[in-house]
Amino acid sequence: MNKWENNRAWLLTVPVLILVAFSSIIPLMTVINYSVQDIMGEGQSLFVGTEMFKAVLREPRLHEALWRQFLFSALVLLIEMPLGVLLALAMPKKGWGVSFSLVVIALPLLIPWNTIGSIWIIFVRPDIGLFGHFINNVLGIPFDHTARPLDAWITLMFMEVWHWTPLVALLAYAGLRAIPEVYYQAAKIDGSSPWKTFWYIQLPKMRGVLTIALLLRFMDSFLIYAEPFVLTGGGPGNATTFLSIYLVKLALGQFDLGTAGAFSLIYFLIVEVLCFVFYQVLQNVGKGAKT
Amino acid sequence: MHLTLEWMYWTRPTAIFFIVLFVILAAMTIWQTLAPSVPRRGFLPLATTPGTRLFLGIISAIFIHLAWIGLTDLSLWIVFPFAVGWIIVVMIWG
């Protein structure tokens, strides 16, 4: 390695560094300061050491929110990944259908997150909503996302799958289109079945994009806030209170800055570890693919 | 516009924490400049540079502390030397 490499170009990143300092590093330091104090009002605070962390770590509602969060992310991935790949496989490969299906599939991605909640609230309302009215009055199944936890989860999953499967599908489609035609020709000569073509050619070739899709979807669903907030507000009861919703309730609803600070630090640490894994996996995608 | 840092609610322990953290980061930067690091494999399941090992060491030390706070009522000072020792172990053999 050349030790005398000119590193002065790094100075060009100073403006970004200053911006990041003001937008995230200083606020984060403030949160750390908050987390060791009980803040009563402006200028009034009491140093309490690790009491806030103790309170948060032993709070059953936080544990519940955490498991709920992991369950939600796991369900999202289990449904969206296979569904996205299936969609990508079913999409036309040439002709006008390509642009048409791409646009149609991308539509949910273009809608703002808070609007999505409103759309689904109206959609599932038993009195005026298309879906709610149909399932309640035509099929005769009682369905109310504001009263029954399971219904709230079903609605939320439907909304999430409808909103984000297109992303997986688009990424998978891009991966599929990047496979050279010769692979399919070779498979054809060997008399490979469609399933074997999928398993031995398409799936391994899509590994890179699918890893990115998986990690993006995991991080997004782990940090979900706007959609359940608009749709259920964390209810019924606490059934859809995910980590971020619980955090906002704590910080803004009860103005419990110390506890919220400790909580957000723990949340941040979990996300930090996940990001590290995310980065490592992305760095190593394809490195092992020597087959 | 007043430029005091009152709104940040500084306390002595957090100030010490940040000073130590920034000193470590500065020292790591100087070390990296004087002797550029090369990734290598230790007992961790991935090739790491000293910076990555420091990051992993500090993060895991924080989780050790959090587990201590969550599971016991004993003083944090009991676990502190072990956590620092763990960071050193990760830095040297990780």
Side-chain angles (χ1 to χ4, degrees):
Chain A
M1 186 182 280
N2 180 13
K3 273 195 177 184
W4 301 103
E5 211 174 333
N6 190 341
N7 279 328
R8 267 178 296 181
W10 283 107
L11 287 176
L12 293 173
T13 62
V14 166
V16 174
L17 208 62
I18 294 170
L19 267 181
V20 171
F22 277 97
S23 72
S24 47
I25 297 175
I26 291 175
L28 185 63
M29 287 165 79
T30 311
V31 168
I32 292 179
N33 289 343
Y34 282 178
S35 71
V36 293
Q37 297 176 82
D38 196 354
I39 293 167
M40 272 82 75
E42 209 182 316
Q44 288 177 305
S45 61
L46 182 73
F47 182 76
V48 293
T50 56
E51 285 306 311
M52 295 302 184
F53 287 93
K54 191 168 277 181
V56 165
L57 284 170
R58 295 175 186 191
E59 171 65 61
R61 275 179 299 174
L62 170 70
H63 299 172
E64 283 166 22
L66 183 66
W67 292 126
R68 213 174 276 138
Q69 189 74 68
F70 275 115
L71 177 68
F72 179 73
S73 292
L75 282 175
V76 161
L77 292 179
L78 277 176
I79 299 173
E80 287 184 6
M81 296 303 292
L83 196 60
V85 172
L86 272 179
L87 265 175
L89 287 171
M91 276 160 72
K93 304 211 165 26
K94 52 180 105 135
W96 61 273
V98 176
S99 339
F100 179 75
S101 52
L102 280 178
V103 169
V104 168
I105 281 195
L107 273 179
L109 294 172
L110 299 176
I111 303 171
W113 297 359
N114 46 0
T115 316
I116 283 192
S118 312
I119 292 175
W120 278 79
I121 284 182
I122 297 169
F123 188 51
V124 297
R125 264 180 71 152
D127 49 353
I128 55 165
L130 184 63
F131 178 78
H133 186 78
F134 177 75
I135 201 163
N136 274 299
N137 301 339
V138 179
L139 294 182
I141 305 166
F143 186 92
D144 186 359
H145 76 281
T146 57
R148 292 144 55 103
L150 184 66
D151 294 357
W153 269 79
I154 291 173
T155 313
L156 203 58
M157 290 308 300
F158 262 116
M159 182 173 75
E160 181 68 16
V161 167
W162 168 79
H163 188 189
W164 286 111
T165 307
L167 179 78
V168 182
L170 289 180
L171 283 169
Y173 187 70
L176 272 180
R177 302 309 301 134
I179 304 173
E181 196 56 36
V182 284
Y183 283 89
Y184 293 113
Q185 289 165 357
K188 214 172 195 175
I189 290 167
D190 288 344
S192 155
S193 67
W195 168 251
K196 279 191 169 167
T197 312
F198 172 71
W199 192 251
Y200 291 107
I201 295 173
Q202 291 173 319
L203 201 57
K205 285 282 167 194
M206 282 194 289
R207 210 171 65 138
V209 283
L210 286 185
T211 316
I212 294 169
L214 183 88
L215 292 164
L216 277 178
R217 283 315 304 131
F218 180 72
M219 293 307 296
D220 265 351
S221 60
F222 201 75
L223 302 175
I224 189 164
Y225 177 72
E227 293 95 328
F229 178 73
V230 175
L231 187 73
T232 63
N238 277 325
T240 53
T241 302
F242 299 111
L243 282 180
S244 54
I245 292 183
Y246 185 52
L247 176 61
V248 173
K249 273 186 186 171
L250 212 58
L252 295 180
Q254 308 172 9
F255 209 69
D256 221 342
L257 288 184
T259 323
F263 180 6
S264 41
L265 281 179
I266 295 169
Y267 195 5
F268 170 73
L269 283 168
I270 298 173
V271 174
E272 176 96 50
V273 170
L274 294 174
C275 283
F276 181 76
V277 175
F278 181 6
Y279 178 74
Q280 288 299 326
V281 172
L282 277 186
Q283 289 284 303
N284 293 318
V285 159
K287 270 190 192 168
K290 283 171 191 144
T291 45
Chain B
M1 187 182 148
H2 64 127
L3 284 167
T4 54
L5 291 174
E6 270 165 30
W7 63 276
M8 286 183 80
Y9 287 92
W10 280 101
T11 62
R12 186 176 304 194
T14 47
I16 294 171
F17 169 76
F18 279 115
I19 291 168
V20 171
L21 194 63
F22 283 124
V23 165
I24 292 175
L25 286 181
M28 291 294 287
T29 311
I30 294 166
W31 182 19
Q32 174 71 23
T33 318
L34 294 180
S37 60
V38 229
R40 62 156 176 78
R41 269 299 291 268
F43 66 80
L44 293 170
L46 63 158
T48 51
T49 60
T52 317
R53 286 198 293 278
L54 179 74
F55 169 77
L56 289 175
I58 289 178
I59 286 275
S60 46
I62 293 173
F63 275 103
I64 292 172
H65 280 108
L66 283 178
W68 190 263
I69 295 171
L71 300 173
T72 71
D73 278 320
L74 302 168
S75 164
L76 261 188
W77 293 111
I78 301 173
V79 77
F80 181 70
F82 291 100
V84 172
W86 167 248
I87 295 179
I88 294 167
V89 167
V90 172
M91 283 300 286
I92 297 175
W93 294 291

